[in-house]
Amino acid sequence: AQTVTQSQPEMSVQEAETVTLSCTYDTSESNYYLFWYKQPPSRQMILVIRQEAYKQQNATENRFSVNFQKAAKSFSLKISDSQLGDTAMYFCAFILLRETSGSRLTFGEGTQLTVNP
Amino acid sequence: KAGVTQTPRYLIKTRGQQVTLSCSPISGHRSVSWYQQTPGQGLQFLFEYFSETQRNKGNFPGRFSGRQFSNSRSEMNVSTLELGDSALYLCASTLYTGELFFGEGSRLTVL
């Protein structure tokens, strides 16, 4: 079974600064995707960034980037130039790319990020 | 393009009742999956439907069931509600495994 662990329940950062959220996962499979989702107070889950396991290059999306260390099974999210609107719960998630797995996400516990003005 | 639509957004039920939640996926998406979110257990996978067939099932009791219609809309049903069923129920639709889109959720309160 796959597991995802986020060891930081809460984090805070000053506006315009950089923050890194940590995530580790465990799997014996080699073909999978990793995601960071953001859940603001409105409760809708929003995809922030995706990383395909077969890609060595780290994914980036504007101010968001990841540090994907496949051997270490680590997948951290860096948010640069933090904005007040980044305040949300962030979830790390994992999905296997296997016919029988379908679209089943395994989520971490979440990290509540607060951006202070 | 319309997003994933979940109805109702909020509902209150009493113990022993049953509830049905609805999810309309993004047009063209054939896979719909359901998740339960609670403060204690976090986000847990309930089940996934693809082309009207249950493709995957999480570790929930038989009181939780679902189905998918030919237009890909999905419903989930919880019978004999318990206090612990109070949660945010999220639906996600996907065109392919690498990209899931979530609805705003249905918040169920069981009294």
Side-chain angles (χ1 to χ4, degrees):
Chain A
Q2 284 63 234
T3 59
V4 179
T5 302
Q6 293 177 248
S7 58
Q8 305 152 313
E10 296 180 0
M11 293 190 73
S12 63
V13 64
Q14 293 299 121
E15 198 174 5
E17 293 188 346
T18 296
V19 64
T20 299
L21 280 57
S22 301
C23 172
T24 58
Y25 60 96
D26 189 28
T27 182
S28 58
E29 304 277 345
S30 59
N31 201 14
Y32 51 87
Y33 285 169
L34 291 162
F35 306 88
W36 279 98
Y37 279 91
K38 164 185 175 180
Q39 189 178 41
S42 67
R43 308 302 287 176
Q44 182 160 20
M45 200 74 74
I46 300 165
L47 177 64
V48 174
I49 199 165
R50 179 184 71 199
Q51 175 77 45
E52 293 91 334
Y54 65 87
K55 289 187 177 178
Q56 292 187 338
Q57 187 173 8
N58 290 324
T60 61
E61 284 287 341
N62 301 313
R63 298 182 295 108
F64 299 88
S65 61
V66 299
N67 184 3
F68 174 46
Q69 302 289 327
K70 192 172 183 179
K73 296 179 183 173
S74 168
F75 182 61
S76 61
L77 174 70
K78 185 171 83 171
I79 306 174
S80 304
D81 186 25
S82 297
Q83 300 176 1
L84 297 177
D86 294 333
T87 293
M89 182 73 86
Y90 286 80
F91 290 96
C92 179
F94 171 102
I95 196 166
L96 271 180
L97 291 178
R98 201 198 316 153
E99 183 64 30
T100 55
S101 297
S103 297
R104 176 177 184 160
L105 279 169
T106 299
F107 286 92
E109 304 90 339
T111 297
Q112 176 62 49
L113 175 68
T114 301
V115 180
N116 299 308
Chain B
K1 197 174 190 181
V4 179
T5 304
Q6 290 189 245
T7 57
R9 292 289 312 281
Y10 302 91
L11 66 166
I12 299 172
K13 294 285 186 178
T14 56
R15 280 182 298 175
Q17 287 187 311
Q18 74 163 9
V19 66
T20 299
L21 308 177
S22 178
C23 173
S24 293
I26 293 172
S27 178
H29 289 194
R30 293 163 63 191
S31 166
V32 174
S33 50
W34 290 88
Y35 295 83
Q36 181 196 62
Q37 185 175 22
T38 60
Q41 299 298 316
L43 281 151
Q44 294 186 287
F45 172 80
L46 279 156
F47 29 63
E48 181 201 4
Y49 287 87
F50 181 83
S51 294
E52 302 180 62
T53 301
Q54 189 180 82
R55 181 159 69 173
N56 232 324
K57 190 178 189 309
N59 190 25
F60 278 81
R63 300 185 297 107
F64 291 81
S65 63
R67 59 178 175 169
Q68 186 179 35
F69 301 95
S70 58
N71 62 357
S72 293
R73 188 178 71 86
S74 176
E75 288 182 347
M76 67 163 283
N77 183 277
V78 188
S79 63
T80 319
L81 283 165
E82 301 176 359
L83 295 178
D85 297 333
S86 294
L88 180 68
Y89 290 89
L90 292 167
C91 164
S93 80
T94 183
L95 183 60
Y96 70 100
T97 300
E99 196 161 23
L100 283 79
F101 294 90
F102 284 84
E104 294 180 288
S106 293
R107 178 165 294 285
L108 169 66
T109 301
V110 181
L111 302 176

